[in-house]
Amino acid sequence: MTDTDGWFADATRDDEEGLAAAVREGSAADPRAWPREAVEAGFAADEDEYYDALHAATTAATRRTVAELERADDRQLVHAVRAMDDCRRTANELAERLAEWAGTVDTEAASGVEYARDLAASDRLDGEPGAEPITSLAERVVDLADEADDLREYVERQTPAVAPNLAALAGPVLAARLISLAGGLESLAKKPSGTVQVLGAEDALFAHLRGHASSPKHGIIYTHDAVRGTRAEDRGSASRALAGKLSIAARVDHYSGDLRPELEAELGERIEAIQARAEAEGDDGDTEAGTETRGESDD
Amino acid sequence: MTDDNPEPPAGVEYRDIAGERRLATRGESVYGEPTDGEWRAWNPDRSKLGAMLESGMDTGLEGGETVLYLGAASGTTVSHVADFAGPTYAVEFAPRPTRDLLSVVDSRPRLFPLLKDARKPETYAHVVEADVDVIVQDVATRGQARVALENRRFLAAGGRLLLAIKARSEDVTRDPDAVFEDVLAELEVEREGEREGEREGEREGGYEVLETARLDEYHVDHLGVVARPR
């Protein structure tokens, strides 16, 4: 299709696929009197027939684009964030294995991914007998860690498109993890906020339900500043408030897609009020000491 | 609604529905709105155009117009528009609401859904016809004046722009009145020629604002605007 043709120019009336594709992919700098031109070109007998064809083509085109976009986005995000976590965890595990092994030949051996980077970049084991597989393993660790970083960037880019409000409130990575734990944006949107509060703390929750333990205060939302930055005795309140707003955000994202900046302000106010309790009691706060870890299974 | 409101367009009537006098159109029910026979109530709390009509703004709508609707969302308002207007092109950018829009479209053969970005008219100018009578715009994006100016190419010389400006989409922190003032100024292109490098035709003309009204009774921090191309 050239820049000056209407959507009907390159296909015949019975070519539904071609017409829908033209609606999806075509373009023109300026509109023209398309109904009249289509009739003059013999595409349709009259304008009524033209509009019938237009209705069929625009509906088919839009239905297909919606299906492609909708089916893909949150599913892609779920895979990406899970792959990111797998890469990170595997890199860390292999880095520990590497440290054990490399310690037998490398006098500067340390631990962690940083050591793997250091070893992979240096040539100090070159020529050392038996060092070749160790350096090779270090390179694999670095590759995996880099892959995890790339996936994190991807998640940070994608989440705001899939769930703008949730991403704004939770940060893109936590938002993606919540979607992943729930199994998709729609299922997250349908969960009560009490469930969202303990997503990721299933072990502790089931222990509680079996009667061996008190109920978990928070699941993965523990990683949010609103919870972590609140003293231990108020974290239950903070988690409840946060989970409430995150649930609303997920519902808005799933059901309407509007951006509601006021949610962020409301959450901020609520958390501020909860954190102010510590000051009101003349307590200087013990947000670091006595950390409540029950129910926190983010590892 | 006041008694000196302009006549609603043909196909739109005030009717007694569920004990209340309500604006209504004839068509298949869309969002659980109350109905009376084939008439269904048009809820101004859920529709900016409905609120503009209820507020007594002179939209110039008569019924049967060709309409370009920007920001159709899930089709609440556009379904009423398609009930009284002629061919209606419904542009919406977000896939999720568009899914709902598709079910509205099924029972309305002269409603054409387009999953396109209203900021990029060239992506649908090969489908939407020239010289539409009315552009209805309700897009929750920054740069609402720019969207109206970009889409001016579709509007007939004597046509109308019916615009709902959402202050929070431009800037959540600023005073809505200040936001409205800026958007209206940009619509009227008083700063024409000041900006360098604008594409030819993009800024020329602009709109003449005929009427404005705050829609706060129905929609907080929204301004209804009726304008015509210069």
Side-chain angles (χ1 to χ4, degrees), chain A residues 23 29 32 34 51 70 254, chain B residues 96 99 116 125 129-130 153:
Chain A
V23 168
R32 299 222 300 256
W34 301 127
Y51 283 128
E70 276 222 290
H254 176 67
Chain B
R96 178 62 193 89
R99 198 166 81 199
K116 305 279 183 182
E129 62 195 84
R153 68 187 80 180

Side-chain angles (χ1 to χ4, degrees), chain A:
Chain A
M1 184 187 302
T2 69
D3 218 31
T4 50
D5 284 337
W7 61 280
F8 49 85
D10 285 345
T12 52
R13 279 288 302 285
D14 52 8
D15 180 10
E16 286 174 18
E17 289 269 314
L19 289 171
V23 168
R24 273 156 58 101
E25 292 149 21
S27 67
D30 285 297
R32 299 222 300 256
W34 301 127
R36 200 188 64 222
E37 292 196 14
V39 172
E40 281 169 4
F43 172 79
D46 53 29
E47 295 202 348
D48 257 349
E49 209 178 284
Y50 169 81
Y51 283 128
D52 287 344
L54 178 62
H55 186 263
T58 52
T59 307
T62 303
R63 183 159 284 135
R64 174 164 307 186
T65 314
V66 165
E68 279 174 13
L69 292 171
E70 276 222 290
R71 275 171 210 162
D73 285 354
D74 64 332
R75 295 311 307 167
Q76 292 294 308
L77 191 60
V78 167
H79 287 301
V81 75
R82 288 176 185 172
M84 175 188 105
D85 286 342
D86 288 349
C87 284
R88 182 80 64 212
R89 192 190 62 245
T90 310
N92 287 334
E93 278 173 17
L94 283 177
E96 292 317 305
R97 171 64 52 218
L98 174 73
E100 290 290 312
W101 193 357
T104 62
V105 289
D106 183 11
T107 49
E108 295 172 42
S111 66
V113 171
E114 276 324 294
Y115 170 64
R117 284 189 192 283
D118 168 47
L119 185 62
S122 92
D123 52 9
R124 62 177 177 266
L125 294 190
D126 282 6
E128 197 80 32
E132 205 181 304
I134 299 177
T135 321
S136 175
L137 181 61
E139 283 163 6
R140 274 337 126 231
V141 172
V142 171
D143 285 348
L144 271 175
D146 288 348
E147 189 63 37
D149 291 343
D150 289 351
L151 284 165
R152 187 184 180 93
E153 273 175 38
Y154 176 81
V155 167
E156 283 171 349
R157 262 197 328 271
Q158 286 303 114
T159 314
V162 174
N165 292 290
L166 191 63
L169 254 63
V173 174
L174 176 56
R177 287 214 170 95
L178 287 167
I179 292 171
S180 163
L181 285 166
L185 182 57
E186 178 165 7
S187 29
L188 182 63
K190 286 180 173 165
K191 291 197 186 306
S193 97
T195 304
V196 174
Q197 190 181 338
V198 296
L199 273 179
E202 283 76 10
D203 289 351
L205 180 65
F206 291 127
H208 165 63
L209 293 177
R210 281 194 301 269
H212 321 147
S214 56
S215 68
K217 290 190 186 68
H218 37 61
I220 197 164
I221 64 166
Y222 175 74
T223 58
H224 196 285
D225 283 344
V227 181
R228 243 189 338 199
T230 301
R231 61 173 182 165
E233 56 262 56
D234 289 331
R235 274 187 196 150
S237 310
S239 306
R240 204 160 52 241
L242 175 61
K245 289 299 175 203
L246 294 179
S247 298
I248 294 169
R251 285 168 203 166
V252 173
D253 287 336
H254 176 67
Y255 292 105
S256 89
D258 292 353
L259 199 56
R260 303 262 175 90
E262 63 269 23
L263 283 174
E264 221 176 329
E266 289 166 12
L267 175 63
E269 273 170 36
R270 181 77 193 113
I271 296 300
E272 229 169 81
I274 291 170
Q275 293 180 344
R277 288 181 201 161
E279 287 149 42
E281 287 167 25
D283 193 325
D284 58 359
D286 59 349
T287 59
E288 295 307 317
T291 299
E292 177 66 66
T293 54
R294 190 188 304 126
E296 210 254 309
S297 66
D298 174 30
D299 48 16

